[in-house]
């Protein structure tokens, strides 16, 4: 008989990675050898937690534990065995990568792959089998506290950016766990809200990125969501897990619950859940004294099998998947690498392509880096940590460069003064405490240095406190919090040369937009935030980011909030209707003719680009689009060519146009380059609810080519 311990291969050096690894066929053979040797109790134990972030192996057979870790922007600091406190390790500092909303803003899949590789290497160094990410939920409302963890409002963009991230992570032997499957589009009532959405919206908007992650990315695990769909919790939902995920998509990996997302044994057994985590906790803070064996997939499951309620058929399928995950992640991979200069460079490269220049009136930016300006830096976010909070994505970074530090580095000859202008108060889970500082005094002090400065740089936005960009609660309104709008207005009054730098993972209202000459969307850029902000302001970096979601002028311009009905958001009596259906984000703005403040795909540059010589040709299977991109400016830079397609005179409700292709092109000053894109005809299908299948309509379509959803040229094409 084969020794089970010998089946789990472990390499001692990174150079051994890829040598002597088992094929998928060999992994299946190993599983067939292991399964008959497991007892009922051992199999059930593998299906639930043994600590906050691990599941048991089988010591007598040499089967190792599986270790899970929060992500997706870095490996979370080590958590205690059985409480949510940190373990005070000295070797768990990591690279804080940009948030996924920032990654999406790069419109650069190549960077997404590098992100995944670096994250995977740091995960392996920490001996993690699974990193919990990427987050693929669609941006439905700008109030969602967790939008910063996701990749925006468009399913195509999210799909294209997610696949290389997954492939990059798993190329190191660390599994990804794409989350939260599915329809987890808000934090308020997230544990219980029942989402009512059309099959068409589900298929066209909320599932495509998950399907791409499974079918093209081959993700090894997927995490269920807290909320309900069709009156069933998503972690034990037959339609999502059995019919679609394991049925249609033929997913062969592990379905893990979100922590605290399991509510019963029976449905969990038959509806596709494989691993139960965090039961008897609220997902974040509290727990009971039940043992891990009391989990729904623990002793209650064993007893149900022994009394004949279930056979071991479902259990064997779960264990087969768990063993497959175990063998895939213990398959001759290297030891990974801790945070290092190469990983920090990846973080920096992503961050510099993520920044979106929203406004640059009279070319006030970039500022001369060698000038002896007097610069006033105002705003709490210039000095506040934007990494060590936000919920499960918080990190323990090896270092974090603040915007203030980055600005001082970027302008070494300038006289840089700093004033808070406001403070936000300390955040505890579920509440934000009033600030201790006198806000009038802070405001007056900021106005004083602003009046005397040559340039004011206001660094504000949101932070990762409760009811902002934070897990566990949604924003209360669309405005900037803590009196920032009033402060910006007053800063402009005393100094018209006020530049606004926003750090956030969400759109915000900008009632002062006409009064300020420049606005920079800087996102949560992780360890390199300050360096990149400084380099954008002094022109070392030429901004090339594009918005992954629309910025409505006011909240009521956003689809779910246009109905002014609580049942649409956030739900009434835990019931919520996605009444906007497929019209999310720019689809809503275009179709309803509501002008956004800033459109999806929008972003300025210090260069000027022209997209010309556009041609659209149809083949049997594709629309072939070609165009020449020319850099007409004096600076090297990058532009994103975006292709949208709309159906004319459709028999069903359709958006005016939908993103179907994009390509980022880097060009030197004066350089031109031909760009070619293919749009598969099959990608133009809509989901026919009556036939329960995809249908391609014949007839006229319009192809739109440009550099944002509201700046495109139309071209007619016929599909027969």
């Amino acid at each position: 008989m084969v020794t089970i311990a010998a089946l789990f291969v472990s390499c001692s050096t990174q150079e051994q990675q890829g040598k002597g690894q088992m094929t998928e066929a060999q992994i299946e053979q190993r599983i067939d050898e292991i399964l008959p040797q497991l007892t009922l109790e051992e199999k059930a134990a593998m299906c639930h937690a043994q600590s906050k972030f691990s599941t048991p192996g089988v010591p007598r057979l040499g089967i190792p534990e599986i270790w899970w870790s929060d992500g997706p922007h870095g490996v979370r600091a080590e958590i205690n065995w059985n409480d949510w406190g940190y373990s005070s390790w000295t070797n768990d500092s990591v690279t804080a990568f940009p948030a996924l909303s920032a990654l999406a803003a790069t419109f650069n899949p190549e960077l997404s792959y590098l992100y995944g590789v670096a994250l995977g290497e740091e995960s392996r160094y920490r001996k993690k089998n699974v990193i919990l990410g990427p987050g693929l939920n669609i941006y439905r409302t700008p109030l969602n506290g967790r939008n910063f963890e996701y990749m925006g409002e468009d399913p195509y963009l999210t799909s294209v950016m997610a696949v290389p991230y997954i492939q990059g992570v798993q190329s190191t032997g660390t599994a990804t766990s794409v989350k939260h499957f599915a329809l987890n589009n808000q934090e308020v009532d997230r544990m219980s809200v029942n989402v009512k959405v059309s099959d068409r919206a589900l298929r066209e908007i909320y599932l495509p990125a998950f399907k791409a992650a499974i079918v093209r990315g081959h993700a090894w695990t997927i995490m269920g969501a807290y909320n309900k769909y069709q009156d069933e919790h998503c972690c034990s939902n037959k339609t999502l897990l059995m019919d679609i995920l394991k049925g249609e998509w033929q997913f062969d990996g592990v379905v893990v619950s979100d922590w605290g997302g399991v509510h019963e044994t029976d449905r969990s057994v038959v509806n596709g859940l494989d691993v139960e985590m965090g039961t008897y906790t609220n997902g974040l803070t509290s727990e009971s004294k039940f043992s891990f064996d009391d989990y729904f997939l623990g002793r209650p499951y064993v007893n149900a099998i022994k009394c004949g309620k279930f056979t071991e058929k479902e259990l064997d399928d779960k264990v087969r998947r768990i063993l497959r995950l175990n063998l895939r992640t213990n398959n001759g991979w290297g030891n990974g690498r801790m945070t290092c200069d190469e990983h920090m460079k990846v973080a920096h490269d992503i961050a510099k392509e993520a920044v979106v220049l929203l406004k640059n009136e009279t070319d006030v930016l970039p500022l001369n880096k060698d000038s002896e300006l007097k610069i006033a830096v105002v705003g709490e976010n210039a000095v506040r940590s934007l990494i060590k909070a936000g919920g499960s994505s918080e990190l323990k970074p090896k270092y974090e460069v603040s915007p203030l530090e980055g600005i001082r580095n970027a302008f070494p000859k300038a006289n840089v003064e700093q004033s808070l202008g406001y403070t936000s108060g300390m955040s505890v889970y579920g509440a934000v405490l009033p600030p201790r500082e006198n806000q009038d005094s802070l405001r007056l002090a900021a106005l004083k240095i602003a009046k005397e400065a040559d340039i004011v740089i206001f660094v504000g936005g949101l932070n990762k406190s409760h009811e902002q960009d934070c897990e566990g609660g949604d924003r209360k309104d669309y405005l900037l919090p803590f009196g920032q709008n009033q402060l910006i207005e007053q800063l402009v009054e005393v100094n018209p040369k006020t530049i606004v730098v926003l750090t956030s993972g969400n759109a915000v209202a900008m009632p002062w937009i006409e009064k300020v000459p420049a606005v920079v969307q800087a996102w949560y850029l992780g360890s390199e935030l300050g360096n990149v902000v400084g380099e954008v302001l002094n022109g070392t970096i030429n901004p090339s980011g594009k918005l992954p979601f629309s910025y409505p002028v006011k909240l009521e311009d956003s689809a779910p909030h246009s109905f002014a009905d609580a049942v649409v958001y956030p739900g009434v009596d835990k019931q919520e209707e996605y009444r906007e259906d497929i019209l999310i984000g720019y689809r809503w703005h275009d179709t309803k003719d509501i002008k956004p403040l800033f459109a999806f795909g929008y972003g300025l540059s210090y260069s000027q680009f022209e997209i010309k010589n556009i041609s659209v040709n149809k083949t049997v299977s594709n629309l072939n689009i070609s165009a020449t991109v020319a850099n007409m400016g004096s600076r090297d830079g990058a532009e994103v060519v975006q292709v949208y397609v709309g159906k004319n005179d459709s028999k069903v409700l359709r958006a005016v146009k939908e993103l179907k292709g994009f390509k980022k092109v880097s060009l030197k000053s004066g350089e031109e380059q031909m760009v070619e894109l293919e749009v598969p005809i099959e990608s133009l299908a809509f989901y026919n609810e009556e036939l329960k299948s995809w249908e391609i309509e014949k007839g006229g379509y319009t192809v739109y080519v440009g550099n944002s959803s509201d700046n495109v040229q139309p071209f007619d094409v016929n599909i027969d």
Side-chain angles (χ1 to χ4, degrees):
M1 183 178 66
V2 178
T3 303
I4 302 300
L7 305 181
F8 289 85
V9 183
S10 178
C11 290
S12 58
T13 66
Q14 190 172 11
E15 287 72 22
Q16 288 177 284
Q17 181 173 325
K19 296 181 180 179
Q21 292 182 324
M22 290 180 287
T23 65
E24 288 292 311
Q26 289 171 326
I27 286 175
E28 296 306 310
Q29 181 180 344
R30 297 293 192 267
I31 295 170
D32 289 338
E33 294 168 356
I34 295 169
L35 257 177
Q37 300 184 56
L38 296 171
T39 68
L40 172 62
E41 287 75 13
E42 286 170 339
K43 287 190 284 189
M46 295 171 70
C47 296
H48 62 78
Q50 66 170 1
S51 72
K52 281 286 183 267
F53 280 95
S54 69
T55 50
V58 183
R60 74 176 182 88
L61 296 177
I63 300 173
E65 303 163 327
I66 295 177
W67 282 87
W68 315 69
S69 178
D70 273 320
H73 311 133
V75 190
R76 191 178 185 181
E78 205 65 25
I79 299 293
N80 291 334
W81 182 266
N82 194 28
D83 65 55
W84 288 100
Y86 285 106
S87 302
S88 300
W89 284 19
T90 58
N91 66 340
D92 58 349
S93 296
V94 297
T95 307
F97 295 96
L100 291 190
S101 53
L103 175 63
T106 70
F107 275 67
N108 189 340
E110 294 178 4
L111 287 178
S112 190
Y113 181 81
L114 296 177
Y115 190 129
V117 171
L119 176 60
E121 289 181 340
E122 295 197 14
S123 301
R124 288 214 69 82
Y125 173 77
R126 291 274 302 284
K127 302 187 185 305
K128 306 302 181 187
N129 299 80
V130 184
I131 193 77
L132 301 175
L136 303 183
N137 296 107
I138 293 297
Y139 186 116
R140 179 177 180 248
T141 164
L143 300 187
N144 182 9
R146 221 165 172 182
N147 278 334
F148 72 98
E149 292 189 47
Y150 306 139
M151 297 193 195
E153 70 189 23
D154 184 76
Y156 178 81
L157 173 64
T158 302
S159 300
V160 172
M161 297 300 291
V163 169
Y165 174 109
I166 292 164
Q167 292 171 336
V169 172
Q170 294 187 171
S171 73
T172 71
T174 302
T176 55
S177 190
V178 295
K179 63 183 188 181
H180 306 89
F181 190 64
L183 301 165
N184 189 174
N185 306 116
Q186 65 191 58
E187 289 299 285
V188 61
D189 292 332
R190 64 176 178 165
M191 305 293 288
S192 54
V193 68
N194 182 47
V195 174
K196 299 179 180 179
V197 63
S198 73
D199 287 349
R200 190 170 164 221
L202 178 72
R203 298 284 186 156
E204 294 186 20
I205 304 296
Y206 297 104
L207 292 189
F210 288 104
K211 181 177 181 180
I214 301 306
V215 176
R216 301 208 316 269
H218 303 290
W220 291 341
T221 82
I222 190 169
M223 180 194 287
Y226 283 133
N227 52 281
K228 293 180 178 180
Y229 166 62
Q230 295 181 340
D231 299 309
E232 283 189 329
H233 281 282
C234 290
C235 288
S236 55
N237 189 288
K238 180 181 183 299
T239 299
L240 292 176
L241 302 184
M242 296 300 291
D243 298 343
I244 296 175
L245 179 65
K246 293 183 176 180
E248 292 179 28
W249 301 349
Q250 294 294 292
F251 177 59
D252 69 355
V254 168
V255 177
V256 62
S257 74
D258 204 341
W259 271 234
V262 182
H263 301 271
E264 60 178 296
T265 297
D266 290 9
R267 290 189 184 184
S268 300
V269 168
V270 299
N271 285 352
L273 181 67
D274 300 313
V275 172
E276 175 187 3
M277 301 296 290
T279 297
Y280 304 120
T281 78
N282 65 3
L284 286 176
T285 55
S286 65
E287 63 178 311
S288 76
K289 295 182 179 179
F290 286 95
S291 74
F292 292 103
D293 286 337
D294 290 318
Y295 275 27
F296 293 110
L297 290 184
R299 189 176 292 112
Y301 188 13
V302 171
N303 291 338
I305 291 175
K306 287 182 175 179
C307 73
K309 187 173 185 178
F310 300 112
T311 68
E312 291 189 49
K313 175 184 175 182
E314 293 90 356
L315 179 57
D316 284 348
D317 179 70
K318 300 178 195 302
V319 174
R320 177 174 290 275
R321 292 169 181 273
I322 294 164
L323 289 171
R324 187 178 292 130
L325 171 64
N326 209 323
L327 287 162
R328 281 172 169 170
T329 58
N330 289 283
N331 190 20
W333 304 102
N335 291 329
R337 292 192 293 173
M338 69 183 303
T339 179
C340 57
D341 290 344
E342 289 87 348
H343 293 171
M344 292 298 179
K345 183 181 185 303
V346 170
H348 185 274
D349 288 348
I350 295 164
K352 75 179 184 181
E353 290 199 27
V355 174
V356 181
L357 182 61
L358 293 176
K359 183 178 181 181
N360 192 23
E361 192 175 83
T362 66
D363 295 328
V364 64
L365 291 175
L367 305 174
N368 186 341
K369 61 183 176 183
D370 294 319
S371 69
E372 298 179 0
L373 294 170
K374 187 173 185 179
I375 300 175
V377 177
V378 177
E380 185 185 46
N381 282 4
V383 294
R384 180 188 180 100
S385 173
L386 298 172
I387 296 175
K388 301 173 184 177
S392 60
S393 66
E394 69 177 3
L395 298 171
K396 179 182 175 181
K398 183 177 181 180
Y399 71 86
E400 178 180 5
V401 180
S402 71
L404 176 63
E405 182 182 354
I407 291 168
R408 284 181 167 151
N409 293 338
F411 300 98
K413 297 181 181 179
N415 177 14
V416 179
E417 293 189 62
Q418 180 258 339
S419 182
L420 286 172
Y422 72 94
T423 55
S424 59
M426 186 175 68
S427 174
V428 296
Y429 184 72
V432 178
L433 304 179
R436 297 177 180 177
E437 300 83 0
N438 183 286
Q439 299 301 296
D440 286 338
S441 297
L442 294 177
R443 178 177 53 83
L444 292 173
L447 293 175
K448 183 177 185 299
I449 70 164
K451 187 174 183 179
E452 298 168 353
D454 298 310
I455 291 284
V456 178
I457 302 174
F458 175 80
V459 185
L462 305 176
N463 60 47
K464 292 186 178 178
S465 296
H466 181 65
E467 295 178 352
Q468 293 191 60
D469 284 327
C470 185
E471 182 178 359
D474 285 356
R475 298 165 64 191
K476 292 298 186 183
D477 59 51
Y478 188 44
L479 295 169
L480 286 174
F482 317 122
Q484 290 179 75
N485 288 319
Q486 296 86 341
L487 177 58
I488 292 171
E489 298 266 7
Q490 292 173 337
L491 288 170
V492 176
E493 287 180 6
V494 301
N495 194 327
K497 293 184 178 180
T498 296
I499 296 164
V500 175
V501 177
L502 296 174
T503 57
S504 73
N506 256 313
V508 298
M510 301 182 194
W512 33 262
I513 187 63
E514 298 299 328
K515 300 178 182 179
V516 299
V519 181
V520 176
Q521 177 62 44
W523 314 108
Y524 299 122
L525 297 181
S527 293
E528 287 289 304
L529 169 64
N531 285 334
V532 169
V533 166
E535 290 168 3
V536 166
L537 295 176
N538 74 11
T540 301
I541 293 172
N542 188 353
S544 64
K546 301 288 185 176
L547 292 179
F549 46 79
S550 309
Y551 278 51
V553 174
K554 57 185 183 299
L555 185 63
E556 293 75 19
D557 291 345
S558 176
H561 303 280
S562 67
F563 296 94
D565 189 339
V567 77
V568 181
Y569 173 86
V572 174
D573 296 329
K574 312 299 184 183
Q575 303 295 314
E576 184 175 28
E577 299 174 6
Y578 283 21
R579 199 175 293 168
E580 71 282 356
D581 204 56
I582 63 167
L583 299 181
I584 282 294
Y586 70 89
R587 290 167 167 80
W588 176 263
H589 286 277
D590 286 351
T591 307
K592 300 297 182 179
D593 196 23
I594 300 172
K595 184 176 176 58
L597 179 62
F598 296 109
F600 172 86
Y602 170 87
L604 300 175
S605 168
Y606 296 150
S607 300
Q608 295 80 45
F609 295 93
E610 182 182 3
I611 301 174
K612 58 185 181 180
N613 303 329
I614 301 170
S615 68
V616 179
N617 297 294
K618 176 187 167 294
T619 67
V620 173
S621 57
N622 294 314
L623 298 177
N624 296 322
I625 298 96
S626 65
T628 299
V629 186
N631 184 348
M632 312 295 288
S634 60
R635 294 173 179 267
D636 299 347
E639 180 62 289
V640 180
V641 179
Q642 302 167 38
V643 175
Y644 301 79
V645 181
K647 175 69 179 75
N648 309 327
D649 302 317
S650 176
K651 67 182 182 182
V652 295
L653 172 68
R654 286 203 164 188
V656 170
K657 57 182 176 289
E658 298 177 335
L659 183 69
K660 296 297 180 183
F662 63 86
K663 186 172 180 60
K664 193 166 196 175
V665 186
S666 295
L667 299 170
K668 295 185 180 301
S669 173
E671 184 182 3
E672 295 186 356
Q673 183 175 324
M674 174 75 76
V675 173
E676 295 181 333
L677 289 162
E678 286 187 352
V679 176
I681 299 295
E682 65 180 14
S683 72
L684 307 181
F686 76 94
Y687 187 77
N688 188 316
E689 293 183 320
E690 293 182 1
L691 301 177
K692 297 190 181 302
S693 64
W694 295 89
E695 178 181 342
I696 301 172
E697 287 187 279
K698 296 181 180 180
Y701 287 76
T702 302
V703 177
Y704 303 86
V705 183
N707 65 356
S708 71
S709 62
D710 68 345
N711 185 31
V712 290
Q713 300 178 54
F715 299 85
D716 291 332
V717 64
N718 194 73
I719 294 176
D720 48 29

